[in-house]
């Protein structure tokens, strides 16, 4: 299960379709593979916390119940969707100090969870 403490990271995630080019090995032309994914802009700090969860599949609860996600981190097949710079925002704290929040764009593969049913 996806850790509850990170559920809020998916609240504003956008469902997208990835078009993965065919492998270059072998001859003949193949169609690109289509995969559903979630695209999210999260803080750099949050990304550093979920980094250890990368490349593993986690089931979801809540509005995405029945789905599973896999954080794309360094899989060469998905290099186009590896984490990337999501920009930064400057703000002023209540104390008057200016601070910068850095963001990262991440993609999670999104799959349906199929459960075997006992007869």
């Amino acid at each position: 299960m996806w850790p509850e403490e990170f559920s809020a990271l998916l609240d504003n995630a956008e469902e997208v379709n990835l078009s993965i080019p065919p492998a270059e090995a072998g001859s003949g032309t193949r169609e690109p593979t289509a995969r559903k994914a979630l695209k999210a802009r999260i803080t750099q700090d949050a990304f550093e916390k979920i980094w250890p969860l990368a490349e593993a599949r986690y089931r979801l609860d809540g509005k995405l119940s029945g789905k599973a996600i896999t954080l794309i981190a360094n899989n060469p097949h998905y290099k186009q969707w590896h984490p990337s710079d999501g920009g930064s925002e400057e703000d002023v704290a209540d104390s008057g100090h200016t601070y910068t929040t850095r963001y990262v764009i991440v993609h999670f593969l999104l799959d349906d969870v199929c459960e075997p049913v006992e007869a």
Side-chain angles (χ1 to χ4, degrees):
M1 294 298 293
W2 181 250
E4 182 67 29
E5 65 187 283
F6 301 128
S7 293
L9 298 177
L10 303 175
D11 286 348
N12 295 319
E14 171 188 1
E15 194 168 323
V16 296
N17 289 308
L18 308 182
S19 180
I20 295 102
E24 297 194 21
S27 61
T29 58
R30 291 189 338 173
E31 295 293 319
T33 303
R35 291 290 308 264
K36 287 186 180 180
L38 291 177
K39 177 182 176 181
R41 181 178 184 239
I42 62 174
T43 65
Q44 177 73 36
D45 291 340
F47 176 67
E48 290 171 6
K49 290 176 184 172
I50 67 169
W51 174 259
L53 305 178
E55 306 296 340
R57 190 169 187 247
Y58 294 91
R59 292 179 184 207
L60 299 173
D61 279 333
K63 69 178 184 177
L64 293 172
S65 184
K67 304 280 185 185
I69 58 172
T70 305
L71 174 61
I72 299 171
N74 55 14
N75 185 319
H77 296 292
Y78 301 105
K79 66 183 174 191
Q80 183 177 348
W81 300 282
H82 286 183
S84 61
D85 183 17
S88 61
E89 293 179 4
E90 300 229 0
D91 208 348
V92 178
D94 293 338
S95 64
H97 289 272
T98 302
Y99 66 94
T100 302
T101 304
R102 289 179 173 36
Y103 290 90
V104 177
I105 303 294
V106 296
H107 287 82
F108 298 87
L109 295 178
L110 181 65
D111 299 303
D112 290 324
V113 176
C114 298
E115 296 286 331
V117 177
E118 293 185 29

